[in-house]
Amino acid sequence: MSGNIDWSQLITKAAKDAEVAAAERAAAVQIEDAWRLKETAFIADQLIGIEDGDPAALPGTEAEWRAYRTKVRNWKEGAQFFPDLTHRPIRPA
């Protein structure tokens, strides 16, 4: 062994921090993708409930739920603030 340091193998704090941030973002993306799929199914049920006059349907008109569905479908990679769950689309009230 020559005792020389291979500086190309050096791992910096910045590199470690970037790796942690990337892993956290990947986990957040998975959570938001799963939420989007679940919420899309929920919206479909709501629209059927509204169409059928179901008293158990949540508040909101058909147009409001359709507009919400569009926002939910667009909540994916490339959307502003995605995957920050505090910026998810909000259900009609």
Side-chain angles (χ1 to χ4, degrees), residues 34-87:
W35 174 83
R36 184 179 61 253
L37 291 173
K38 184 178 176 184
E39 193 68 3
T40 300
F42 180 83
I43 294 165
D45 288 343
Q46 274 300 115
L47 287 169
I48 290 169
I50 291 169
E51 184 180 304
D52 293 347
D54 185 348
L58 295 179
T61 65
E62 182 178 348
E64 290 171 329
W65 280 98
R66 288 183 182 279
Y68 174 63
R69 180 176 60 188
T70 299
K71 290 176 186 176
V72 169
R73 276 198 313 247
N74 290 330
W75 182 244
K76 58 187 174 186
E77 197 66 56
Q80 185 178 18
F81 302 117
F82 182 85
D84 182 350
L85 66 87
T86 63
H87 292 279

